[in-house]
Amino acid sequence: MKAEVKDVSLRGKVALVTGAAAGIGRGVAIELARQGARVAINDVDRADAAHITLQMVREASADGGIIQADVAQPEQVQAMVEEVVRRLGRIDILVNNAAIQPNLGLMDYDDAWFDHVMSVNLLGYLNCIQAVVPVMKGQRQGRIVCMSSVHAKRPTDFDTVYAMSKGGIKMLVRESAIELAQYGITVNMIEPGAVQVGRKIGNPRPIVPPDRVTEESRRRGARKFPLGRVGVPSDIGHIVCFLASDEAEFITGAAIRADGGSMLL
Amino acid sequence: MTNRRVALISDASQAFGIATAKRLAQEGVTLVLNGPPGPSEQVVANLAQTLQDEGHEVLVATSDLGDTETVASLCNDVVTRYGRIDLYVHTHNRIDRGAVASLPHVLVRDALNFNAKTAFLCTQVLGRQMAKQGAGCMVYVGSIHGEKPTGCAFSYALAQGALQMLCKEAALELGRLGVRVNLIAMGPVEGDDQQFYSDISDLYLDYQYKVPSATLGTADDVAEAVAWMASDAAKYLNGAIIRLDGGFLLHYMDHKMKR
């Protein structure tokens, strides 16, 4: 007897991906589109880049649209969700991805930056969850995937409040998972390690100061990744597709670390 | 200038703060007891009076520790008076009930700021002072709800998750400057079944018996742990999150409870 072969298809589903103009968000939008989902591409201010993401989504023969909103503003998030429902009919998948990382150390942060990072990274995720829950409740089904980080576990040593926001997201996911399970909504997180993305907001990530890059430091850097490479956005997109699929219906409140094994070294 | 150790307790109006103040006083630590503005102030004033009557050196503060300037001003007062600060004990602990789906954004921010931003600002400002001295110690009294969801007070859990990462980050940055930072993830004490009553999670159902010894923790358990973490006996402890719950979080088999 032949086993039934079933692919991971998201045909007919609608996904909303925040911060999808570039980087991991773009990679997630493209992979969702390749599985057949229609994708609402959110970003706050990178309109040109968002159009490129939309083009790539369409090349994957899926429909989609761009919805500008600042996830830190609850009213804008509410309006965004209403517009997605108006334009695409429903929301099956929310991917909370929009985040900032100013790369400030403990002593370099000020009040305003603390509030800003928390507003976007942590409260922004909450705003989006609060806005989509009524829609998903109505559908008796939903998938929420939150981009966390290996830095919800391991400190960064270069951005204190970023790590604090990821620690908060860990608990937001766990609390949401047990509270929203009754509506058929699952909530999970992915913990990416280093992923090749475009420019981030803020200072460049100070891995090694340029004047201290030596043959030895290069060798050490390469040895931080057991699989021999850093991540690419599609690595993360594949996991989102799985978590968003019908096959993942029993998984909630879980974290999948995707870092090529680097956290183990 | 004093030769005695100087400790700041961020909220000395709460049970954990009161017990810690009394415990540190026994060791001859000079105490700066802060009470956030409001009803806490009177509780702290009374505690200070009691300790002063016993001959302890106590300074009372009523700061909300809500922004850098406020914290810097308190730090300055302490250093002007005593010449140093050796220990910061973070005891801010406010549990606001509310569901993920419906708690207004502003209240979540309040909970985050009260429980975690205060610790962040104090760690920054007092950390600078301790680094100047070349030594110091921070102890955050946190909660098991930095790992285990509550099912009733998610904003508290968010703040606890953030506090855990602050501990690890600060342990690295301040560790290089002679300052250790650790966290106590406190488990259930009497009354927590009311505070954390949940329609979703039965975590606190029969909570006393989920502790293998069938004995709940007390504020004195926190105070003992703080005293140890702040002492030289714990000089190799840094960035640690110590679960202080008698084994409560390990519970799984209801029929094996000791009752």
Side-chain angles (χ1 to χ4, degrees), chain B residues 18-41:
Chain B
I18 294 168
T20 300
K22 289 178 177 168
R23 179 67 182 75
L24 293 175
Q26 279 175 23
E27 294 191 5
V29 174
T30 296
L31 294 168
V32 183
L33 303 181
N34 185 56
S40 299
E41 291 178 39

Side-chain angles (χ1 to χ4, degrees), chain B residues 4 7 9 12 17-34 43-60:
Chain B
R4 295 180 169 207
I9 299 178
I18 294 168
T20 300
K22 289 178 177 168
R23 179 67 182 75
L24 293 175
Q26 279 175 23
E27 294 191 5
V29 174
T30 296
L31 294 168
V32 183
L33 303 181
N34 185 56
V43 180
V44 173
N46 294 344
L47 172 64
Q49 192 60 58
T50 305
L51 291 170
Q52 281 162 343
D53 289 348
E54 291 168 7
H56 300 294
E57 175 65 27
V58 180
L59 177 67
V60 171

Side-chain angles (χ1 to χ4, degrees), chain A residues 11 29-37 39 53-63:
Chain A
R11 211 159 298 284
I30 294 165
E31 293 306 319
L32 287 167
R34 291 178 60 179
Q35 295 297 327
V39 186
T53 303
L54 178 60
Q55 202 180 325
M56 294 168 100
V57 162
R58 288 193 172 139
E59 279 164 14
S61 53
D63 192 14

Side-chain angles (χ1 to χ4, degrees), chain B residues 26-252:
Chain B
Q26 279 175 23
E27 294 191 5
V29 174
T30 296
L31 294 168
V32 183
L33 303 181
N34 185 56
S40 299
E41 291 178 39
Q42 194 52 51
V43 180
V44 173
N46 294 344
L47 172 64
Q49 192 60 58
T50 305
L51 291 170
Q52 281 162 343
D53 289 348
E54 291 168 7
H56 300 294
E57 175 65 27
V58 180
L59 177 67
V60 171
T62 56
S63 171
D64 67 5
L65 309 177
D67 57 66
T68 305
E69 258 176 68
T70 307
V71 177
S73 150
L74 174 59
C75 180
N76 191 47
D77 290 351
V78 174
V79 174
T80 304
R81 179 145 170 183
Y82 299 119
R84 54 191 285 182
I85 183 151
D86 304 277
L87 170 64
Y88 171 67
V89 188
H90 183 72
T91 51
H92 274 56
N93 193 62
R94 196 183 78 201
I95 299 152
D96 301 319
R97 296 177 62 88
V100 174
S102 57
L103 191 66
H105 178 110
V106 285
L107 297 183
V108 181
R109 179 184 290 283
D110 279 355
L112 185 66
N113 286 350
F114 186 89
N115 290 306
K117 190 179 179 185
T118 47
F120 174 80
L121 294 172
C122 288
T123 300
Q124 250 191 344
V125 173
L126 304 179
R128 261 188 210 110
Q129 173 61 30
M130 290 176 187
K132 251 190 254 173
Q133 300 164 194
C137 183
M138 317 243 176
V139 178
Y140 306 150
V141 181
S143 160
I144 54 171
H145 294 299
E147 285 294 328
K148 188 71 136 184
T150 62
C152 64
F154 84 99
S155 63
Y156 179 71
L158 258 57
Q160 290 300 328
L163 193 62
Q164 289 196 357
M165 288 315 299
L166 174 63
C167 171
K168 294 184 188 181
E169 293 281 357
L172 282 175
E173 288 210 35
L174 296 178
R176 300 184 192 108
L177 305 170
V179 182
R180 295 185 294 110
V181 186
N182 294 289
L183 185 147
I184 299 166
M186 188 56 188
V189 296
E190 188 73 45
D192 276 1
D193 55 338
Q194 302 296 316
Q195 296 223 71
F196 290 112
Y197 169 78
S198 166
D199 289 330
I200 295 162
S201 169
D202 283 343
L203 182 65
Y204 283 88
L205 190 66
D206 294 327
Y207 71 137
Q208 178 177 344
Y209 303 104
K210 290 176 177 171
V211 179
S213 68
T215 309
L216 288 170
T218 66
D220 288 337
D221 290 319
V222 171
E224 286 300 329
V226 172
W228 171 68
M229 283 174 153
S231 73
D232 283 345
K235 68 182 180 351
Y236 201 45
L237 192 77
N238 189 26
I241 295 170
I242 298 209
R243 177 169 53 75
L244 190 67
D245 72 343
F248 174 73
L249 273 199
L250 306 178
H251 173 80
Y252 189 49

